[in-house]
Amino acid sequence: MAPRSLSPRSALGAAVGTALLLLGSAAAAPTAVASTAVQEVVTVDSVGRVAAGGTVTLSGTYRCLGAAGPVFVSSSLHQDPSTVRYGIGGTRAVCDGLAHRWENTGTVPEGTFTPGAADVEATLLELRPAGGLPLPAFHAVSRTDITLVEG
């Protein structure tokens, strides 16, 4: 029987699934970290903006260490009663161990988000080269309740 080839979408899905499994294993494994070590982190500001026309702006800070491939701060937004989470932009990150600001802006259908409570998931994700196919490597993830304001 001939080997079956995967579509690019299936291959990417498999890569992301594998990365998530590895992330779960790494999170469960105990690690020894000196208290003075630089921590990789991504934060979300407590206030986001939603403008007429559906433009949403989210922001925060990040810090990451060296990387073999490009690193991005991605963000997604959810607001009840909807069950849908919308991706809001992406920013290229500089992984030099210093704290940096990020700001992502995206457009969703008008009326999708209104001023009030919402939650944001921000991810610091590296596309690490691995045999010709970039595989996702998570540096930090944060899920934060925020308040959307008009703006």
Side-chain angles (χ1 to χ4, degrees), residues 12 14 29 46 61 63 88 100 112 127 135-136 138 149:
L12 182 58
S46 62
T61 63
R63 179 181 2 213
I88 308 295
H100 297 276
T112 300
L127 295 177
L135 295 178
F138 294 90
V149 298

Side-chain angles (χ1 to χ4, degrees), residues 95-108:
C95 291
D96 58 7
L98 301 175
H100 297 276
R101 297 268 322 145
W102 64 268
E103 182 175 283
N104 291 346
T105 300
T107 303
V108 298

Side-chain angles (χ1 to χ4, degrees), residues 48-52 54-56 77-81 108-119 146-151:
R49 296 185 310 274
V50 58
T55 300
V56 176
L77 182 65
H78 164 261
Q79 188 174 47
D80 287 334
V108 298
E110 190 167 4
T112 300
F113 296 111
T114 58
D119 72 87
I146 69 162
T147 300
L148 286 175
V149 298
E150 284 188 43

Side-chain angles (χ1 to χ4, degrees), residues 38-108:
V38 173
Q39 298 291 319
E40 294 190 313
V41 65
V42 61
T43 69
V44 178
D45 292 341
S46 62
V47 175
R49 296 185 310 274
V50 58
T55 300
V56 176
T57 303
L58 304 171
S59 58
T61 63
Y62 72 89
R63 179 181 2 213
C64 56
L65 303 174
V71 179
F72 299 91
V73 180
S74 64
S75 56
S76 64
L77 182 65
H78 164 261
Q79 188 174 47
D80 287 334
S82 174
T83 58
V84 178
R85 178 169 290 281
Y86 288 84
I88 308 295
T91 302
R92 183 83 186 254
V94 177
C95 291
D96 58 7
L98 301 175
H100 297 276
R101 297 268 322 145
W102 64 268
E103 182 175 283
N104 291 346
T105 300
T107 303
V108 298

